């Protein structure tokens, strides 16, 4: 009995290691987009990923044919939403101040995503980067499909048409 359990644990560990080897890079990139951190300095994204993968590993035997990537992505989204709720008081009620970008980090897209609310980032990453359907995103977040569609449209508008800075000052012309 003990040998069979040890064999099952070893098989489970090998399967999970293979899954992590294939999916961790994409999941880390999604977590980095969610947290709007630079790709080479992303402790919050790494923590989110670690917790999501730990939960996925804990429920590995209960997946029963379910896609482990979907489960890990779902945990990533739920943990990000919960953290944003605690950090900002409500998911999407305020726009966080963008963090200064690190030179040479290639964080141009991250600086753009930092202008979005956490809810807008979450919907945008799930819909556009991960390719999750509107209905699935709505079910995951507990929102109506129309609300997810509106949030995604608002986020895309913010990204494609960023707010303009202050108007340039006009030099006074002194009559001569």
């Amino acid at each position: 009995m003990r040998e069979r359990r040890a064999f099952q644990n070893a098989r489970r560990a090998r399967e999970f290691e293979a899954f992590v080897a294939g999916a961790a890079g994409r999941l880390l990139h999604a977590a980095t987009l969610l947290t709007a951190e630079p790709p080479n300095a992303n402790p919050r994204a790494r923590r989110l990923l670690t917790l999501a993968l730990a939960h996925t590993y804990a429920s590995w035997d209960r997946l029963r044919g379910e896609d482990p990537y979907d489960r890990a992505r779902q945990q990533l989204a739920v943990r990000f939403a919960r953290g944003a709720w605690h950090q900002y008081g409500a998911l999407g009620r305020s726009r966080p101040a963008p963090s200064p970008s690190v030179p040479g980090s290639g964080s141009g897209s991250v600086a753009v995503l930092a202008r979005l609310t956490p809810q807008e980032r979450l919907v945008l990453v799930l819909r556009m980067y991960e390719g999750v359907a509107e209905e699935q995103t709505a079910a995951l977040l507990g929102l109506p499909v129309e609300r997810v569609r509106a949030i995604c449209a608002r986020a895309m508008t913010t990204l494609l048409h960023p707010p303009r800075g202050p108007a340039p000052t006009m030099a006074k012309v002194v009559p001569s």
Side-chain angles (χ1 to χ4, degrees), residues 22 25 36 38 48 54 58 63 68 77 82 85-86 97 101 104 132 142 146 149 155 162 170 173:
L48 269 175
L63 289 178
R82 188 178 301 133
W85 180 272
H86 289 292
S101 62
V132 179
E146 295 80 20
R149 191 175 300 128
M170 299 285 289
V173 178

Side-chain angles (χ1 to χ4, degrees), residues 153-164:
R154 184 177 60 226
M156 289 299 292
T157 300
T158 302
L159 291 180
L160 295 175
H161 307 289
R164 296 182 183 178

Side-chain angles (χ1 to χ4, degrees), residues 27-166:
L27 285 169
L28 178 61
H29 187 66
T32 303
L33 291 174
L34 286 173
T35 58
E37 295 175 312
N40 56 356
N42 53 2
R44 285 183 53 222
R46 289 177 185 276
R47 175 128 173 96
L48 269 175
L49 178 61
T50 301
L51 293 171
L53 289 176
H55 188 273
T56 304
Y57 182 72
S59 63
W60 191 259
D61 291 333
R62 294 184 305 262
L63 289 178
R64 302 212 197 299
E66 190 179 335
D67 186 11
Y69 186 83
D70 285 341
R71 177 68 63 98
R73 180 179 55 213
Q74 179 182 10
Q75 277 302 308
L76 195 67
V78 166
R79 288 189 182 276
F80 173 75
R82 188 178 301 133
W85 180 272
H86 289 292
Q87 184 175 3
Y88 298 110
L91 187 63
R93 290 220 176 135
S94 65
R95 293 186 187 272
S99 58
S101 62
V102 178
S105 65
S107 61
S109 63
V110 173
V112 171
L113 286 174
R115 288 192 302 237
L116 301 175
T117 65
Q119 187 179 47
E120 289 170 342
R121 271 197 314 257
L122 180 58
V123 169
L124 194 70
V125 168
L126 287 174
R127 291 280 300 123
M128 300 299 149
Y129 179 70
E130 288 290 324
V132 179
E134 285 178 345
E135 294 81 14
Q136 290 175 328
T137 303
L140 177 63
L141 301 178
L143 297 171
V145 175
E146 295 80 20
R147 181 76 180 131
V148 168
R149 191 175 300 128
I151 292 168
C152 189
R154 184 177 60 226
M156 289 299 292
T157 300
T158 302
L159 291 180
L160 295 175
H161 307 289
R164 296 182 183 178

